Amino acid sequence: MFELLKEQPADKILMLMQAFKEDPRDQKIDLGVGVYKDAQGRTPVMRAIKAAEKKLWEIEDTKTYTGLAGDIGYADAMVDLLLGDAVPRDAVAAAATPGGTGAVRQGFDLVRMANREARVFVSDPTWPNHLSILKHMEMHMVPYRYFNAETRGVDFDGMMEDIADARIGDVVLLHGCCHNPTGANLTTEQWQQVIDLLKKTGAVPMIDIAYQGFGDGLDEDAEGTRMVAAQLPEVLIAASCSKNFGVYRERTGLLLAVAHDEARRKVNQGMLNYLNRQNYSFPPDHGARLVTMVLQDPELRADWEAEVKEIREGVLALRQQLAAELKRLTNSDRFDFLAEHRGMFSRLGATPEQVEKMRVDSGIYMVGDSRMNMAGLNKDTVPVLAKAIVDAGV
Ligand code: LMR
């Protein structure tokens, strides 16, 4: 039976991670997988998480099952972090999931159960795993224009024109902040125009928010998501704690279904519980518990917020340094977009050949579409990258 199976295409981001590991050069630079790294190239356990972990070791007296949707305290704390007071808590059904990817997968599953014919509109480009999961689930997907290759900003007119085709029964997948892979994001006014358009079409928005706090601030990064949740009757939100709490391997995410209708919310909560039960039963708890402890304890929370700010400002400083260095080398402002982008990623706009040249000549690893993880840089490697970009003829 297994001889009928075919080899699956390897995930490009994970392949790059492996290739970087195997490169023997000392001076190599990893701008691949979306993992935060400090100036020494480490991905440390965040201070507040470490403190919560110690405390948890002392106070945890059972590891029996929680609930199918995970611990309710986690859902409450995360709904508050994501949505603030944009919607009443009882408008939100929520379930813990294994990471943000788990939330995305469960969200697509919910959509498919609601409408087998649903088309999912995805930004072009988007996180490659969105496409891979949709393909695996045999769901219809429709790309919408998003990135202007000239300006390296959002092609907003193209986006609006394309999502105007979405209908009732369709879903429009949006990135809450820090667009992956481009780093180009919607302004507040543009979010409002997208909301007005979705109101007209009747399509349901699904927001993937995996980098809250890494762009402009915890509240600022959730602004678009909050506007959507407050103004549209139904919204799905897939959230990840992997990056902003640094709990990557603990697999800590949350799927939210917002419905401004009490009866609907009850059915949605039942559906989220049901989907968890079918796919893996109880969701993982360890990371979720740590996140809850951090969010509920004022001291731990303040320290966590301070560390998220340090990360955000550190990445922004690297962006500014790189843009300035490229301005100096090229005597032009064509790389200024790097300082405008937000989050860990920027799409540089290099060709696959130029990306390959930077890897071969300078040991610089970025995704083939020229997505760079800015957190993979430090003050000393920024000039190395800038020179390689110029040498590659970007
Ligand atoms: C990324 O985009 O690099 C991250 O979200 C990690 C992943 O799983 O792909």
Side-chain angles (χ1 to χ4, degrees):
M1 167 180 140
F2 292 157
E3 70 276 7
L4 297 174
L5 296 175
K6 290 196 202 85
E7 215 173 309
Q8 293 299 315
D11 184 287
K12 291 197 181 81
I13 297 174
L14 304 187
M15 238 163 63
L16 196 69
M17 228 168 127
Q18 192 55 32
F20 179 80
K21 258 191 207 154
E22 287 166 7
D23 188 328
R25 287 177 284 187
D26 284 339
Q27 304 305 322
K28 59 189 176 175
I29 302 174
D30 180 13
L31 309 180
V33 69
V35 166
Y36 170 74
K37 294 201 211 83
D38 63 15
Q40 287 72 43
R42 292 175 310 215
T43 304
V45 179
M46 292 179 85
R47 298 185 298 259
I49 289 289
K50 197 76 179 161
E53 221 155 23
K54 266 195 194 150
K55 200 161 153 190
L56 184 61
W57 185 82
E58 279 163 17
I59 61 174
E60 189 171 56
D61 53 10
T62 179
K63 285 200 183 282
T64 188
Y65 294 123
T66 53
L68 274 182
D71 184 63
I72 188 71
Y74 170 64
D76 286 345
M78 282 297 291
V79 169
D80 181 58
L81 179 71
L82 289 157
L83 295 178
D85 55 10
V87 293
R89 175 66 182 91
D90 62 10
V92 189
T97 55
T101 307
V104 167
R105 167 70 202 235
Q106 298 293 77
F108 289 158
D109 226 337
L110 189 74
V111 168
R112 189 173 57 174
M113 285 194 75
N115 177 16
R116 284 228 149 243
E117 299 309 312
R119 296 176 304 164
V120 180
F121 284 63
V122 285
S123 65
D124 178 16
T126 191
W127 182 46
N129 210 23
H130 285 149
L131 307 179
S132 178
I133 295 172
L134 285 167
K135 182 165 176 260
H136 173 68
M137 295 177 77
E138 298 180 349
M139 291 178 73
H140 309 281
M141 48 186 143
V142 181
Y144 62 82
R145 277 170 284 170
Y146 185 82
F147 190 61
N148 180 327
E150 281 299 304
T151 63
R152 271 84 150 182
V154 176
D155 174 4
F156 190 63
D157 292 341
M159 173 181 181
M160 292 293 277
E161 228 175 273
D162 291 350
I163 63 177
D165 281 341
R167 295 279 165 266
I168 291 177
D170 291 337
V171 167
V172 176
L173 182 62
L174 300 159
H175 295 228
C177 62
C178 308
H179 186 267
N180 180 4
T182 66
N185 298 293
L186 299 179
T187 63
T188 308
E189 293 70 33
Q190 289 172 334
W191 274 105
Q192 189 54 54
Q193 288 182 52
V194 169
I195 292 168
D196 294 341
L197 180 59
L198 290 174
K199 269 188 201 158
K200 268 195 227 147
T201 64
V204 170
M206 174 164 163
I207 300 178
D208 184 355
I209 178 159
Y211 297 89
Q212 187 184 358
F214 279 20
D216 291 305
L218 285 164
D219 286 325
E220 291 82 347
D221 291 350
E223 192 190 18
T225 305
R226 291 176 186 177
M227 289 164 66
V228 173
Q231 296 182 49
L232 289 170
E234 290 181 323
V235 183
L236 287 175
I237 303 166
S240 170
C241 298
S242 299
K243 332 270 164 158
N244 55 1
F245 288 89
V247 288
Y248 305 86
R249 63 175 66 165
E250 302 296 355
R251 310 313 298 136
T252 310
L254 190 78
L255 177 64
L256 289 71
V258 183
H260 299 264
D261 170 327
E262 178 63 8
R264 192 59 6 241
R265 192 199 69 82
K266 275 205 187 115
V267 177
N268 287 350
Q269 187 61 60
M271 283 303 308
L272 299 190
N273 295 2
Y274 169 82
L275 283 173
N276 270 5
R277 183 66 170 158
Q278 305 321 303
N279 285 329
Y280 39 75
S281 200
F282 297 89
D285 180 69
H286 186 71
R289 200 154 291 274
L290 298 174
V291 165
T292 313
M293 289 170 74
V294 168
L295 290 175
Q296 286 177 345
D297 179 310
E299 239 174 77
L300 292 183
R301 186 174 181 135
D303 190 37
W304 169 70
E305 287 187 9
E307 195 166 356
V308 171
K309 185 164 181 272
E310 284 160 29
I311 291 173
R312 176 173 66 245
E313 290 178 350
V315 172
L316 192 57
L318 291 167
R319 288 186 170 286
Q320 287 161 346
Q321 190 192 344
L322 181 60
E325 187 68 15
L326 282 162
K327 184 173 252 162
R328 195 181 64 76
L329 292 179
T330 63
N331 213 6
S332 82
D333 55 11
R334 62 197 175 89
F335 290 101
D336 281 6
F337 66 89
L338 291 167
E340 303 299 320
H341 285 171
R342 284 295 179 272
M344 290 207 294
F345 306 122
S346 268
R347 181 182 263 202
L348 178 62
T351 63
E353 295 72 30
Q354 290 167 331
V355 169
E356 183 61 6
K357 182 169 166 52
M358 287 187 266
R359 190 185 66 77
V360 173
D361 293 356
S362 318
I364 293 169
Y365 285 72
M366 61 180 77
V367 185
D369 66 355
S370 76
R371 183 192 83 170
M372 307 184 291
N373 174 11
M374 308 299 292
L377 293 166
N378 62 35
K379 276 198 204 109
D380 300 330
T381 54
V382 164
V384 179
L385 172 63
K387 184 173 180 308
I389 288 173
V390 173
D391 290 349
V394 181

